[in-house]
Amino acid sequence: MIISYDKIKKYKNLSSSQLEAFNFKNKNIFKLSQLLYRNLQTGDNGIEVGSINYIKKSEKIFMKAKALQAYNYLPVINAETSEFIKPNCFVNMELLAGDIILSKDSNIGETCILDKDYSNVMLSNALYKLPIKKNKLYIFSFMKSSYFKKQLDILSPRGATIRHAGKRFLDCYIPFPNSTEVINFIECLTKSIIDIEKNVYIKNDKILNYFDNNLKDNCIIKKNCITALHFSEVKNIGRLDVGIFSESYKKINYYIENYRYGYRNLEELGYEISRGQNLQISNIGKSIYTKNKINEDYYQLILSNSITDYMSFRTEEYLGSKKKLKEIEYGDIIFTCRGNLGRCFINCSESKKMITNIDNVHISNKSSSIEEKITIGCYLHYLKHNNYLKNISIQGSGADSFTKYHFDMIKVPNFPVDFQKDIYDIYCSKIRTDFDINNISSSLSELGLFQLEKAKEIIKKYIDFIFSKIVNDEFVNIERIFLDLKNELILL
């Protein structure tokens, strides 16, 4: 790349980051500012309310930049990414379904699109609501790509602990294909990912409600189960952990201990708990880590951060090793024991060559049915959601953690076979063969929770591939791409 003297003169330095440029072969490009139907206004930018206005519970929510995450198209609003705030400091930003939100600070250039109206949510001053109408999903999809983020990364000053992009995102270019069919295809694929995320939330809530209702409906003794803490209770348990004496823990424990069909622990049910592969050089020798699978001998590496909050995982890294490593088998439950304690998934993929590391455990049973394994895994997810696992974990070491002793404390109700079948259908349903290019979302709607996350990963891969063609001004064969996509999805 050649740097002109005029550019050096403009920036008044020789910093490579300031002089770096991003070039498109496709010349049908527009700055983001040109794609807004009006100029940005003060009201499009969020407002900082200050931590003094954070409270424990409120109908009003303050969304932080963390709510915009690279892997998600919709906002992730939870205790880590938002705060409850005092109603008197709330500013109604009229956040409506379809609005595109962009972060200018911290995780600069990250975006999300709203799936519904958020009348009770306001944005932090790190976030902008972008006034876009025409080709909204196409523009949003490109903004989620590395091509957009790389441009903003080049334009934004470096060196600070928290980087600030200001309004430089308006100077980032969006390339367009010459075919409206390609734009429509990108928008169709983008809509399918948005619908997948909506469906994931729905199915996740459905699983949690199934367990909640089943435990309550099959509790054989109906009474107020929460009593004051007595010294005899502490003496019998022999622990002073605050969690195991909390109301939330005692409530769920009561339902389990009074379950109509009884309960057992994992060992009594025949499950073995073992650590994942030790990846230290002293154990497996030298190995190769790569973002792309070099050949069939490489292992798909699933770390704690790769496991989602919705009982699936995303592929981020592969590992090449001459040694035979401990693989994740079909039906194995992978459970995170440190950090994001309790995240888990049940492997419903027949493919081999998948491994995890020593921070996670395999929960396996050679003789139990896949329906039971999925039910056990989803039950652990239910316990995590209700803080049951956190309440019995080791706390105070910087991160919650689990040992074999803590697994022995988990009581598993003897869920009926019909209930297990229902949970299986929600978590692990296959795709229909009548896959339609005109309505991809409809074809994916019956997928199970596990397959939905895998479908999302596959579709995102094809969107990235199409954008690489557009950026390089190459022909996009929609029919060929759709056929390849269809064949991958049907194999889920």
Side-chain angles (χ1 to χ4, degrees):
M1 181 177 70
I2 298 174
I3 304 298
S4 68
Y5 172 74
D6 288 340
K7 191 167 186 180
I8 296 175
K9 187 177 179 181
K10 175 183 176 182
Y11 287 103
K12 295 183 175 62
N13 67 53
L14 293 172
S15 168
S16 59
S17 64
Q18 288 286 327
L19 300 173
E20 192 177 4
F22 192 97
N23 296 314
F24 294 98
K25 288 185 179 179
N26 184 347
K27 300 307 177 186
N28 185 29
I29 57 177
F30 300 87
K31 286 187 176 182
L32 180 59
S33 60
Q34 296 174 277
L35 301 173
L36 307 182
Y37 68 83
R38 61 166 172 77
N39 293 332
L40 281 181
Q41 300 172 355
T42 303
D44 297 321
N45 190 197
I47 299 171
E48 198 61 43
V49 298
S51 58
I52 193 172
N53 289 304
Y54 298 170
I55 55 179
K56 288 186 176 180
K57 196 69 178 175
S58 171
E59 293 182 354
K60 304 302 182 182
I61 297 173
F62 179 73
M63 184 196 297
K64 300 178 179 179
K66 290 180 181 179
L68 283 57
Q69 299 182 4
Y71 189 71
N72 294 89
Y73 280 33
L74 302 181
V76 178
I77 301 179
N78 55 35
E80 295 179 358
T81 64
S82 64
E83 299 285 349
F84 293 117
I85 57 173
K86 297 174 182 177
N88 62 0
C89 69
F90 177 79
V91 177
N92 187 355
M93 299 193 65
E94 298 182 356
L95 300 177
L96 304 177
D99 283 347
I100 296 173
I101 311 299
L102 177 141
S103 174
K104 66 179 180 66
D105 299 331
S106 188
N107 55 340
I108 59 171
E110 200 51 73
T111 55
C112 76
I113 190 166
L114 303 185
D115 54 317
K116 59 184 179 181
D117 296 350
Y118 284 87
S119 58
N120 65 327
V121 175
M122 67 174 290
L123 306 178
S124 78
N125 68 350
L127 304 176
Y128 267 100
K129 180 176 71 170
L130 302 181
I132 299 173
K133 286 184 179 178
K134 187 178 180 181
N135 298 322
K136 179 184 288 187
L137 289 182
Y138 177 87
I139 295 168
F140 168 70
S141 193
F142 188 82
M143 291 171 70
K144 291 295 292 183
S145 75
S146 59
Y147 298 107
F148 182 86
K149 294 172 184 175
K150 177 63 175 176
Q151 291 181 76
L152 189 55
D153 184 55
I154 291 171
L155 293 171
S156 303
R158 302 177 188 179
T161 304
I162 298 178
R163 297 177 67 194
H164 303 276
K167 293 184 181 179
R168 294 178 181 86
F169 56 86
L170 294 174
D171 293 326
C172 293
Y173 287 99
I174 310 285
F176 281 80
N178 294 319
S179 167
T180 55
E181 289 183 357
V182 175
I183 293 175
N184 292 338
F185 187 49
I186 286 282
E187 293 207 327
C188 182
L189 294 176
T190 304
K191 183 179 183 302
S192 71
I193 291 183
I194 293 169
D195 289 341
I196 282 173
E197 290 192 13
K198 290 180 183 178
N199 216 343
V200 163
Y201 297 155
I202 291 170
K203 289 181 184 290
N204 181 67
D205 287 344
K206 191 173 183 180
I207 287 174
L208 296 175
N209 290 332
Y210 256 60
F211 280 102
D212 220 28
N213 293 334
N214 185 270
L215 289 175
K216 291 175 182 176
D217 293 344
N218 287 289
C219 183
I220 57 177
I221 304 174
K222 310 284 187 181
K223 69 174 185 178
N224 181 15
C225 56
I226 309 303
T227 59
L229 178 62
H230 297 284
F231 174 73
S232 58
E233 187 179 357
V234 179
K235 186 177 180 181
N236 289 336
I237 294 176
R239 290 175 59 184
L240 291 173
D241 306 53
V242 174
I244 58 177
F245 301 114
S246 67
E247 180 177 341
S248 61
Y249 174 83
K250 292 172 74 174
K251 184 178 180 179
I252 295 176
N253 218 40
Y254 180 85
Y255 288 137
I256 297 169
E257 291 180 345
N258 290 281
Y259 191 69
R260 184 182 306 279
Y261 306 107
Y263 64 89
R264 289 177 284 179
N265 63 29
L266 289 168
E267 185 177 356
E268 291 169 335
L269 286 166
Y271 285 84
E272 295 181 1
I273 299 170
S274 60
R275 287 286 182 181
Q277 177 66 55
N278 183 342
L279 299 177
Q280 292 182 348
I281 294 178
S282 59
N283 187 65
I284 66 171
K286 291 183 178 180
S287 54
I288 299 173
Y289 292 84
T290 175
K291 293 293 182 183
N292 299 307
K293 190 174 184 179
I294 305 300
N295 57 51
E296 293 305 314
D297 292 330
Y298 273 65
Y299 292 92
Q300 184 177 354
L301 178 58
I302 302 166
L303 304 176
S304 299
N305 289 336
S306 307
I307 302 175
T308 72
D309 283 321
Y310 302 98
M311 291 184 289
S312 187
F313 61 89
R314 46 184 175 260
T315 306
E316 296 179 331
E317 202 165 19
Y318 292 89
L319 183 143
S321 174
K322 293 181 179 179
K323 290 196 174 183
K324 180 173 176 55
L325 306 182
K326 182 181 179 181
E327 295 182 15
I328 301 171
E329 302 291 338
Y330 177 70
D332 279 358
I333 301 165
I334 304 302
F335 181 99
T336 63
C337 288
R338 283 188 60 81
N340 296 314
L341 173 68
R343 282 189 181 181
C344 66
F345 72 90
I346 309 95
N347 181 28
C348 295
S349 172
E350 297 283 0
S351 62
K352 298 289 185 179
K353 307 296 285 187
M354 292 166 50
I355 61 170
T356 188
N357 67 349
I358 202 169
D359 286 340
N360 303 327
V361 299
H362 294 232
I363 302 174
S364 58
N365 188 330
K366 299 292 186 183
S367 59
S368 63
S369 67
I370 186 63
E371 289 84 2
E372 182 185 282
K373 293 174 184 177
I374 286 174
T375 301
I376 297 292
C378 291
Y379 174 67
L380 293 173
H381 175 66
Y382 168 78
L383 295 181
K384 177 189 185 302
H385 178 79
N386 287 281
N387 288 325
Y388 187 95
L389 299 179
K390 180 180 178 65
N391 284 328
I392 63 177
S393 69
I394 297 174
Q395 300 177 28
S397 59
D400 300 335
S401 61
F402 243 53
T403 65
K404 178 65 169 61
Y405 164 75
H406 297 97
F407 281 108
D408 291 339
M409 292 181 66
I410 298 174
K411 306 178 184 76
V412 183
N414 296 320
F415 295 111
V417 173
D418 288 347
F419 177 81
Q420 294 180 28
K421 181 64 169 61
D422 289 340
I423 295 297
Y424 172 87
D425 288 341
I426 302 171
Y427 185 78
C428 188
S429 295
K430 303 293 185 178
I431 197 168
R432 300 198 312 260
T433 55
D434 56 333
F435 199 67
D436 186 2
I437 190 172
N438 297 314
N439 196 346
I440 296 174
S441 293
S442 177
S443 302
L444 298 174
S445 62
E446 298 304 316
L447 282 178
L449 192 59
F450 181 86
Q451 282 79 15
L452 281 171
E453 287 282 1
K454 296 295 100 189
K456 174 182 168 182
E457 187 174 311
I458 291 169
I459 294 170
K460 183 67 172 65
K461 178 182 70 175
Y462 279 92
I463 290 176
D464 290 342
F465 173 73
I466 296 171
F467 278 134
S468 72
K469 293 280 190 181
I470 294 171
V471 165
N472 290 297
D473 202 20
E474 298 174 0
F475 173 69
V476 178
N477 188 333
I478 294 176
E479 290 73 20
R480 177 72 256 176
I481 291 172
F482 176 73
L483 182 60
D484 291 343
L485 171 63
K486 175 181 177 179
N487 289 337
E488 278 202 58
L489 291 174
I490 288 175
L491 292 175
L492 283 172

